[in-house]
């Protein structure tokens, strides 16, 4: 089996050092819990995610929750005694109480604490939600391989999105203790940073082990609270174990510099003075530079004391950042899509202010006074309005004395400047084009953020020379903007063939959807592999260029999910699914039908091991087919253009026959099964074959051979 380092890097079995980061691997420790084992009659281990000093972390399926993915954090010290386990469980219960209080969308939800006995060994586990995404450490490694780093804009956005999370946990008197690129994840579903791996769990482990050694060996070891990574944790935390909210701010600033420079703290800290020397590596804007320096001040009292203070100084211009606090996020006003060109990776500007984002946009601190800028403007407007009305009234009174019969014009007054049309900066033709795209996207119910990400991906794939350059609203980029809009138009056209429900969910699909789909099709004795075959046919018909790419974690991968979701509904509705039954003494069955463009169908037949089967498909070469055994262990055919298969069946159960069309035109097919001694269909189980399932339609007929009969 594969082994993993503490960062989650996968390595071949038997590796002694991580092939990605060089970390020494404890191969023996990986021989305990294995993939496929079930813990507590509930958690099916999928694979190991990583390992640390006190245990491993596993990805598991929660059998009691539709196989929903979750994370198991194990406490497994080298010393396994009754005292260690009992004390650990007591402290873990206390820590679990703290973690259970953390209810924030950017913190994995804590589920439970449980003990499990496996092969005579006791294990303690913390169970948390699984976050599908990549750590910032992994993202940085990927960029460094291409000679790239994080930009100042990206790091600023990260700070603005994670500081409210720190403000939240600090308000509950919780300190993370271990912020670093390894413990920040970019969640795939919404591209928001998520704070993982709270240091309190490690603190419990350290306390237990230190108390054991002190009581049994008398050895003098460092206090158990000395947690944190060198260079990320502030000096006082490493020396005394004391932590405050500013300790997390220090670690966050160190994380930001690592992302900006691509270098570890040890490369940015002077060995003699222990001071940060990052300015020789990069040049930042004055605001961000000052903020990072103060967050990294060597004296704790000289740092910002709260996350809110950092937000006050950063004071970003009104920009859209998804809300990080409950309740549910509010959609961005539609005008923001076209106010700035969507190709730019920077957030759209000038949205309507929202209540939930108030903590993100805090003005710089000023001495407390009743005369705030808002109140001054309000008073000015009231006085101006009063003056104008007074002058208008006086004029009316004077004029009425000279010409009472002459009608007076109604005065107009605009106390504030009306907002300009966000499209006004473009030519009439471009303005009209963008308006049509926006209206079309709205009618299709496609989320704006996902739409921008999807068009960006395809635009950059079609223009690799741009190297992800942001387009501007200047005349020089007009031609590229035209090309971007053309890409958007083509994508919207392809998305129209999806169902409304699938389009509206674009941008939110993930592993939990695949798990749910698997359960639903398995209930019909259909495999998820067969379901994906149908989804692939429809998806690759529209996006053939993606067939050789790793697209699943890209925005275009969400479109694949949507196609599969529609195919699932078609299977459940029996429009693309059929069960083939054999009556007594029947040895052959033939099914005739038509497939629309990029359509497919799944047939299943209950057969037995060692039966002889011959199956033939009469169809155009653009119709491919696959044959899967009941367990999926044997693939008799896969996306094949062969038109026959014969042989002895390797196992018993429901065999799947999947046919899909790769043509843009409707095509007919004829599928014939010849089976020696097929299993007859029990007459007492008519529910196995619903009437609606096998009733011939104008496009499909079932033709029994002379020795076979068809029972609808």
């Amino acid at each position: 089996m594969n082994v993993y380092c503490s960062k989650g890097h996968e390595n071949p079995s038997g590796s002694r050092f991580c092939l990605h980061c060089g970390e020494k691997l404890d191969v023996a420790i990986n021989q305990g819990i294995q993939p496929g084992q079930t813990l507590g009659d509930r958690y099916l281990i999928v694979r190991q995610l990583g390992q640390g000093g006190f245990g491993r972390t596993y990805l598991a399926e929660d059998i009691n929750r539709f196989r929903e993915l979750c994370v198991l954090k194990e406490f497994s010290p080298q010393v396994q005694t009754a005292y260690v386990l009992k004390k650990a469980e007591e402290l873990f219960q206390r820590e679990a109480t703290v973690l259970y209080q953390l209810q924030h969308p950017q913190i994995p939800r804590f589920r439970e604490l449980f003990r499990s006995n496996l092969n005579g060994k006791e294990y303690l586990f913390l169970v948390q939600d699984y976050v599908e995404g990549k750590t910032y450490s992994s993202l940085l490694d990927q960029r460094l391989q291409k000679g790239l780093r994080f930009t100042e804009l990206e790091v600023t956005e990260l700070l603005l999105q994670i500081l409210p999370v720190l403000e939240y946990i600090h308000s509950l008197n919780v300190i993370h203790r271990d912020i670093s690129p390894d413990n920040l994840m970019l969640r795939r579903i919404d591209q928001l940073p998520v704070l993982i791996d709270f240091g309190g769990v490690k603190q419990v482990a350290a306390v237990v082990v230190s108390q054991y050694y002190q009581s049994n060996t008398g050895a003098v070891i460092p206090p158990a609270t000395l947690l944190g990574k060198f260079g990320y944790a502030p000096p006082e935390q490493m020396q005394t174990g004391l932590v405050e909210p500013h300790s997390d701010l220090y670690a966050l600033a160190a994380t930001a510099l690592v992302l900006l420079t691509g270098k570890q703290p040890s490369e940015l800290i002077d060995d003699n003075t222990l001071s940060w020397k990052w300015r020789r590596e990069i040049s930042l804007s004055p605001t961000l530079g000052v903020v990072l320096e103060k967050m990294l001040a060597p004296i704790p009292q000289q740092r910002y004391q709260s996350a809110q203070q950092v937000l006050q100084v950063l004071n970003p211009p009104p920009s859209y950042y998804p809300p990080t606090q409950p309740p549910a996020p509010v959609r961005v006003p539609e005008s923001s899509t076209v106010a700035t060109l969507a190709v730019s990776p920077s957030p759209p500007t000038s949205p309507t202010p929202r209540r939930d984002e108030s903590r993100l946009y805090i003005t710089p601190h000023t001495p407390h006074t009743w005369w705030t800028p808002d109140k001054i403007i309000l008073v000015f407007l009231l006085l101006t309005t009063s003056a104008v009305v007074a002058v208008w009234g006086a004029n009316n009174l004077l004029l009425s004395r000279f010409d009472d019969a002459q009608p007076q014009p109604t005065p107009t007054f605009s106390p504030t400047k009306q907002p300009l049309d966000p499209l006004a900066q473009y030519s009439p033709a471009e303005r009209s084009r963008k308006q049509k795209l926006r209206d079309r996207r709205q009618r299709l119910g496609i989320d704006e953020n996902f739409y921008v990400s999807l068009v960006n991906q395809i635009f950059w794939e079609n223009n690799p020379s741009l190297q992800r350059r942001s387009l501007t609203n200047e005349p020089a980029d007009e031609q590229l903007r035209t090309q971007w809009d053309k890409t958007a138009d083509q994508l919207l056209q392809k998305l129209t063939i999806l169902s409304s429900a699938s389009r509206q969910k674009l941008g939110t699909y993930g592993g939990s959807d695949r798990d749910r789909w698997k359960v639903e099709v398995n209930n019909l004795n259909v495999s998820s592999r067969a379901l994906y075959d149908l989804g692939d046919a429809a998806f690759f018909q529209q996006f053939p260029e993606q067939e050789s790419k790793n697209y699943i974690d890209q925005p275009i991968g969400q479109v694949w999910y949507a196609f599969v979701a529609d195919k699932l509904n078609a299977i459940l509705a029996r429009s693309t699914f059929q069960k083939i039954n054999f009556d007594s003494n029947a040895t052959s069955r033939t099914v005739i039908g038509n497939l629309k463009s990029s359509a497919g169908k799944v047939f299943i037949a209950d057969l037995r091991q060692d039966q002889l089967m011959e199956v033939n498909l009469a169809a155009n070469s653009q119709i491919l087919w696959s044959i899967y055994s009941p367990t999926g262990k044997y693939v008799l055919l896969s996306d094949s253009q062969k038109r026959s298969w014969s042989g002895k069946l390797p196992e018993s159960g429901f065999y799947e026959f999947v046919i899909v069309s790769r043509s843009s035109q409707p095509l007919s097919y004829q599928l014939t099964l010849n089976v020696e001694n097929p299993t007859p269909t029990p007459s007492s189980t008519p529910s196995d074959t619903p009437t609606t399932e096998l009733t011939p339609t104008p496009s499909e007929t079932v033709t029994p051979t002379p020795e076979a009969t068809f029972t609808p």
Side-chain angles (χ1 to χ4, degrees):
M1 104 178 163
N2 292 335
V3 294
Y4 300 82
C5 72
S6 62
K7 297 183 177 65
H9 297 146
E10 184 177 0
N11 298 274
S13 176
S15 300
R16 299 183 59 189
F17 296 91
C18 178
L19 301 179
H20 303 272
C21 63
E23 177 182 321
K24 184 177 181 181
L25 300 176
D26 188 349
V27 179
I29 208 170
N30 285 278
Q31 303 304 317
I33 299 174
Q34 303 290 331
Q37 290 179 313
T38 301
L39 305 182
D41 296 325
R42 177 170 183 175
Y43 298 106
L44 176 65
I45 301 299
V46 177
R47 65 180 176 88
Q48 181 178 316
L49 294 175
Q51 68 182 52
F54 300 103
R56 280 85 63 188
T57 302
Y58 299 95
L59 177 65
E61 294 180 351
D62 189 340
I63 298 175
N64 292 352
R65 291 177 61 91
F66 304 101
R67 294 189 175 274
E68 190 174 68
L69 292 175
C70 57
V71 172
L72 271 61
K73 292 181 178 293
E74 171 199 353
F75 171 64
S76 179
Q78 296 298 317
V79 179
Q80 291 283 340
T81 68
Y83 167 83
V84 169
L85 290 174
K86 181 176 182 297
K87 190 66 176 177
E89 191 164 12
E90 292 175 358
L91 295 177
F92 266 121
Q93 287 284 5
R94 186 188 311 166
E95 181 65 21
T97 303
V98 174
L99 293 177
Y100 192 78
Q101 298 176 16
L102 302 179
Q103 300 292 326
H104 192 285
Q106 287 171 258
I107 298 174
R109 180 171 55 91
F110 169 73
R111 295 191 177 192
E112 70 164 326
L113 171 72
F114 81 99
R115 176 190 285 204
S116 178
N117 186 295
L118 190 63
N119 299 326
K121 184 177 180 181
E122 292 288 336
Y123 293 86
L124 288 175
F125 295 94
L126 283 171
V127 186
Q128 290 180 305
D129 280 351
Y130 171 63
V131 178
E132 192 170 7
K134 296 182 179 180
T135 66
Y136 276 81
S137 176
S138 175
L139 293 172
L140 179 61
D141 288 341
Q142 292 177 2
R143 296 200 179 191
L144 290 176
Q145 291 175 4
K146 301 177 183 178
L148 303 174
R149 299 170 297 186
F150 280 79
T151 66
E152 179 175 344
L153 178 62
E154 290 174 316
V155 170
T156 301
E157 182 175 350
L158 170 62
L159 294 175
L160 291 169
Q161 291 175 332
I162 208 66
L163 282 167
V165 184
L166 294 183
E167 184 182 0
Y168 167 75
I169 67 171
H170 294 164
S171 70
L172 299 177
N173 296 318
V174 175
I175 311 298
H176 186 280
R177 298 171 177 262
D178 198 17
I179 294 177
S180 71
D182 288 329
N183 292 334
L184 283 173
M185 290 193 70
L186 183 65
R187 187 163 52 201
R188 184 189 60 78
I189 192 171
D190 55 12
Q191 297 296 292
L192 281 177
V194 177
L195 196 57
I196 64 172
D197 204 9
F198 279 69
V201 176
K202 299 175 184 177
Q203 182 184 16
V204 169
V207 167
V208 173
V209 173
S210 65
Q211 290 182 358
Y212 172 82
Y213 277 107
Q214 287 175 339
S215 61
N216 289 274
T217 67
V220 178
I221 62 174
T225 52
L226 300 187
L227 298 174
K229 294 182 179 68
F230 173 77
Y232 293 100
E236 73 278 2
Q237 179 178 339
M238 299 300 295
Q239 294 169 5
T240 67
L242 297 177
V243 291
E244 296 287 343
H246 56 69
S247 306
D248 282 347
L249 299 180
Y250 184 102
L252 180 59
T255 297
L257 287 178
V258 169
L259 297 178
L260 287 165
T261 63
K263 299 194 174 197
Q264 293 302 311
S266 58
E267 302 175 87
L268 301 173
I269 298 177
D270 187 277
D271 293 335
N272 298 320
T273 63
L274 299 182
S275 59
W276 288 83
K277 301 295 183 183
W278 58 267
R279 289 193 178 274
R280 62 193 177 190
E281 302 290 339
I282 52 171
S283 177
L284 300 178
S285 65
T287 300
L288 182 59
V290 170
V291 165
L292 293 179
E293 282 196 338
K294 187 165 184 178
M295 292 172 74
L296 291 168
I299 301 176
Q301 292 75 15
Q302 294 178 350
R303 301 176 198 145
Y304 298 108
Q305 299 301 300
S306 70
Q308 185 180 15
Q309 290 180 354
V310 183
L311 286 168
Q312 287 177 331
V313 178
L314 284 176
N315 189 28
S319 299
Y320 172 60
Y321 295 100
T324 59
Q325 303 295 328
V330 182
R331 296 287 289 271
V332 188
E334 297 298 340
S335 60
S336 64
T337 305
V338 292
T340 58
L341 189 62
V343 176
S344 172
S346 59
T349 59
S350 302
T352 303
R354 292 177 300 279
R355 179 187 60 194
D356 292 336
E357 293 179 335
S358 60
R359 67 198 315 158
L360 288 179
Y361 316 124
I362 303 175
T363 55
H365 177 71
T366 56
H368 179 70
T369 172
W370 188 89
W371 291 99
T372 64
D374 289 342
K375 293 179 179 178
I376 292 174
I377 293 174
L378 179 60
V379 171
F380 171 75
L381 293 177
L382 290 174
L383 292 175
T384 305
T385 304
S386 301
V388 172
V389 172
V391 172
W392 171 73
N395 287 339
N396 276 351
L397 181 61
L398 291 174
L399 292 173
S400 64
R401 294 183 178 182
F402 294 100
D403 191 0
D404 291 335
Q406 183 176 352
Q408 300 300 317
T410 303
T412 59
F413 174 65
S414 299
T416 59
K417 185 178 180 181
Q418 297 300 316
L420 295 174
D421 180 357
L423 297 177
Q425 57 192 312
Y426 302 118
S427 66
E430 185 171 1
R431 188 160 59 242
S432 174
R433 185 177 70 238
K434 292 184 181 298
Q435 182 66 52
K436 289 179 180 178
L437 285 172
R438 184 178 68 180
D439 293 344
R440 189 177 181 188
R441 178 189 60 77
Q442 290 176 333
R443 288 194 301 271
L444 292 175
I446 299 172
D447 178 73
E448 179 187 11
N449 289 334
F450 168 75
Y451 162 76
V452 172
S453 299
L454 176 63
V455 181
N456 280 348
Q457 179 192 344
I458 303 303
F459 177 82
W460 279 319
E461 287 181 358
N462 294 339
N463 298 273
S465 61
L466 293 179
Q467 298 181 346
R468 303 183 74 85
R469 178 176 73 82
S470 302
L471 301 190
T472 69
N473 296 326
E474 299 300 323
D477 280 343
E478 182 176 359
Q479 184 176 356
L480 289 176
R481 294 198 303 271
T482 300
Q483 188 174 348
W484 193 94
D485 290 344
K486 182 179 179 180
T487 301
D489 179 70
Q490 293 170 344
L491 286 170
L492 290 176
Q493 179 62 35
K494 293 181 178 181
L495 297 181
T496 57
I497 64 178
L498 294 170
S499 68
S500 176
S502 294
R503 286 197 303 264
Q504 291 177 9
K505 199 177 176 185
L506 285 169
T508 67
Y509 289 107
S512 60
D513 293 288
R514 296 197 302 270
D515 294 335
R516 177 174 55 82
W517 297 342
K518 179 180 178 181
V519 172
E520 293 187 63
V521 294
N522 285 175
N523 289 335
L524 297 175
N525 296 306
V526 175
S527 68
S528 56
R529 177 184 290 177
L531 169 64
Y532 296 159
D533 282 350
L534 300 190
D536 286 348
F539 176 71
F540 292 134
Q541 178 69 28
Q542 298 298 322
F543 303 96
E545 72 283 355
Q546 299 295 328
E547 192 157 3
S548 60
K549 297 180 181 179
N550 184 13
Y551 58 83
I552 197 65
D553 290 328
Q554 301 295 324
I556 193 66
Q558 290 288 299
V559 180
W560 176 86
Y561 273 101
F563 275 107
V564 175
D566 282 348
K567 295 303 179 182
L568 169 70
N569 292 330
I571 289 177
L572 298 179
R574 306 300 201 274
S575 63
T576 59
F577 166 69
Q578 179 174 325
K579 183 177 179 181
I580 299 177
N581 294 313
F582 290 85
D583 291 333
S584 299
N585 301 320
T587 60
S588 180
R589 289 298 306 278
T590 298
V591 180
I592 300 174
N594 292 321
L595 291 181
K596 296 180 180 179
S597 172
S598 70
K601 192 152 188 176
V602 179
F603 300 90
I604 64 170
D606 190 8
L607 305 173
R608 291 292 174 263
Q609 185 176 3
D610 295 332
Q611 281 185 301
L612 296 177
M613 181 182 74
E614 180 183 0
V615 56
N616 297 284
L617 177 66
N620 184 285
S621 61
Q622 289 186 289
I623 289 184
L624 309 179
W625 66 321
S626 304
I627 305 176
Y628 303 128
S629 71
T631 64
K633 182 179 180 181
Y634 301 97
V635 179
L636 309 185
L637 289 178
S638 179
D639 287 336
S640 177
Q641 291 183 331
K642 293 176 62 177
R643 289 298 172 252
S644 65
W645 184 92
S646 61
K648 184 180 292 187
L649 298 181
E651 55 187 9
S652 299
F654 284 94
Y655 281 77
E656 297 175 293
F657 306 87
V658 187
I659 59 174
V660 297
S661 172
R662 289 296 183 91
S663 172
S664 59
Q665 302 295 327
L667 295 174
S668 62
Y669 65 87
Q670 176 176 302
L671 179 68
T672 302
L673 273 73
N674 297 290
V675 183
E676 179 185 278
N677 299 324
T679 304
T681 302
S683 58
S684 60
T685 57
S687 60
D688 285 347
T689 311
T691 302
T692 56
E693 180 181 323
L694 294 181
T695 300
T697 64
S699 62
E700 177 177 307
T701 58
V702 180
T703 306
T705 56
E707 69 274 19
T709 58
F710 171 66
T711 304

